[in-house]
């Protein structure tokens, strides 16, 4: 959902084609008029930063953070001067120079960039199942679910949903925000630095490249400060567990090739995994150890009929929400098919708006414990329901790839 959604007349031919393929149970015209990505419902903020870039997570004896040689070399390969980058060259979004390929992700830490003021200004961009037969779901769209009112999570958020947080990033439209979840790392049990979010929270899809200055803040605004309290909130109050920069991000090739801001293009593959490192340099503690929890991810993609309930968490930023508070919706999922050949998505009733993008969807796993089964991807411009991708083989490959890239480090 965008803060300024495109009209139906403005949809491109690709979106119209996708609409023609939608299930007969939800008319093409109705779906196309409401679908919009909730990430760039993030909206825009002030892209200017008055911070000094300092590089990566490697901390030296004098306490300064330096840009590692491998990142410096990768920047040079793409004609990017490190000094110019840290002095503001990252704000150049020239289409020809915008890195978009999977292997081109670069995100040097800019120390102090995500200060409290800049974070506040960021706006909206089955039980016991081991193997499921999804054939009955393919290409099917169930009737639109009744809206489920989002409920505010009681503070402190960390006591109730310790894995939840916000992702901040810069795009050509300005400072943006999404939601995200700390997930377990199979290569480093108990010491995960992995975060799950939506693909459109890290990459613009077919029309652009990687977003910049991507950072994760677990338990953002943990005490649920509001109004005047937020205006004077310190970084420790907004980011009690620190700011964690994404030193790597990965999404599906399908999202990179097909993803778009409206119409649901690429939504069945709209997921991403980021690996993070603390802005202030390593203390020896992982993200999972810092927040005390990480959710396992269920890639068995249980059929809708086998899922009794899904709980979605996020920080909705579009009206009537302000992006500063954590909310949840709980509902039994239905099915939403964007394109018959793509995996059918989960859909739940929920009034959360843009900014909740990327937030984790949790259901009871095969072991009876909570597990992440999806993330918020799309919803109607007017709110009322959300849809998330089914996490199958492609999602597992993305997850395993990031895990293995940092295995043993």
């Amino acid at each position: 959902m965008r803060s300024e959604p495109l009209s139906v007349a403005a949809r491109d031919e690709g979106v119209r084609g996708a609409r023609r393929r939608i299930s007969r149970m939800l008319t093409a015209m109705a779906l196309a008029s409401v679908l919009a990505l909730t990430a760039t419902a993030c909206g825009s903020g002030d892209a200017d930063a008055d911070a000094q870039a300092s590089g990566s997570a490697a901390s030296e004896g004098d306490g300064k953070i330096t840009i590692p040689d491998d990142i410096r070399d990768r920047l040079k390969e793409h004609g990017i001067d490190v000094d110019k980058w840290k002095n503001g060259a990252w704000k150049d979004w020239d289409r020809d120079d915008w890195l978009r390929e999977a292997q081109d992700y670069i995100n040097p830490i800019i120390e102090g960039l995500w200060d409290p003021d800049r974070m506040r200004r960021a706006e909206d961009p089955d039980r016991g199942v081991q193997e499921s037969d999804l054939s009955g779901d393919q290409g099917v769209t169930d009737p639109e679910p009744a809206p489920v009112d989002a409920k505010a999570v009681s503070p402190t958020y960390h006591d109730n949903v310790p894995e939840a947080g916000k992702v901040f990033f810069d795009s050509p439209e300005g400072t943006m925000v999404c939601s995200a979840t700390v997930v377990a790392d199979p290569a480093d049990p108990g010491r995960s630095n992995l975060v799950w979010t939506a693909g459109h929270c890290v990459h613009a899809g077919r029309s652009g490249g990687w977003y910049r200055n991507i950072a994760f803040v677990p338990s953002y605004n943990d005490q649920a400060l509001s109004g005047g309290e937020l205006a004077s909130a310190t970084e420790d109050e907004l980011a009690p567990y620190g700011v964690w920069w994404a030193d790597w991000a990965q999404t599906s090739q399908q999202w990179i090739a097909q993803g778009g801001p409206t119409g649901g293009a690429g939504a069945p593959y709209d997921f991403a995994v980021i690996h993070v490192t603390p802005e202030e340099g390593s203390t020896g503690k992982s993200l999972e150890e810092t927040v005390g929890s990480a959710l396992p991810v269920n890639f068995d993609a249980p059929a809708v009929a086998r899922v009794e309930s899904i709980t979605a968490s996020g920080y909705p930023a579009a009206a009537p929400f302000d992006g500063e508070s954590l909310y949840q919706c709980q509902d039994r999922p239905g099915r939403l098919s964007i394109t018959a050949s793509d995996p059918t998505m989960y859909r739940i009733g929920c009034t959360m708006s843009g900014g909740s993008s990327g937030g984790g969807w949790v259901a009871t796993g095969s072991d009876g414990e909570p597990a992440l089964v999806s993330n918020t991807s799309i919803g109607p411009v007017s709110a009322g329901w959300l849809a998330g991708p089914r996490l199958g083989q492609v999602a597992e490959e993305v997850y395993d790839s990031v895990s293995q890239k940092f295995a043993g480090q």
Side-chain angles (χ1 to χ4, degrees), residues 250 254 271 299 392-403:
Q250 194 158 331
Q254 290 89 337
F271 40 75
F299 296 103
Q393 182 179 352
V394 175
E396 188 169 19
E397 289 172 354
V398 170
Y399 176 72
D400 286 344
S401 177
V402 180
S403 174

Side-chain angles (χ1 to χ4, degrees), residues 71-81 85 89-90 92-108 170 172 202-212 214 248-249 251 256:
I71 293 181
R72 188 179 293 271
D73 291 343
R74 282 162 55 203
L75 288 167
K76 287 182 178 179
E77 288 175 7
H78 294 285
I80 298 172
D81 181 275
W85 183 272
W90 63 265
D92 181 4
W93 296 96
D94 182 87
R95 183 64 178 80
D96 293 336
D97 296 329
W98 193 1
L99 304 182
R100 66 170 275 107
E101 301 304 325
Q103 68 273 15
D104 289 344
Y105 177 79
I106 297 171
N107 193 50
D170 283 299
V202 300
H203 194 287
R206 67 173 183 265
S207 63
W210 294 104
Y211 294 128
R212 297 170 184 168
I214 301 171
W248 189 254
T251 185
I256 290 175

Side-chain angles (χ1 to χ4, degrees), residues 145-150 312 328-331 348-352 380 383-386:
V148 172
D149 288 336
Q328 289 184 324
C329 288
Q330 186 175 17
D331 195 18
I348 62 172
C350 185
T351 59
M352 282 197 290
W385 56 262
L386 298 174

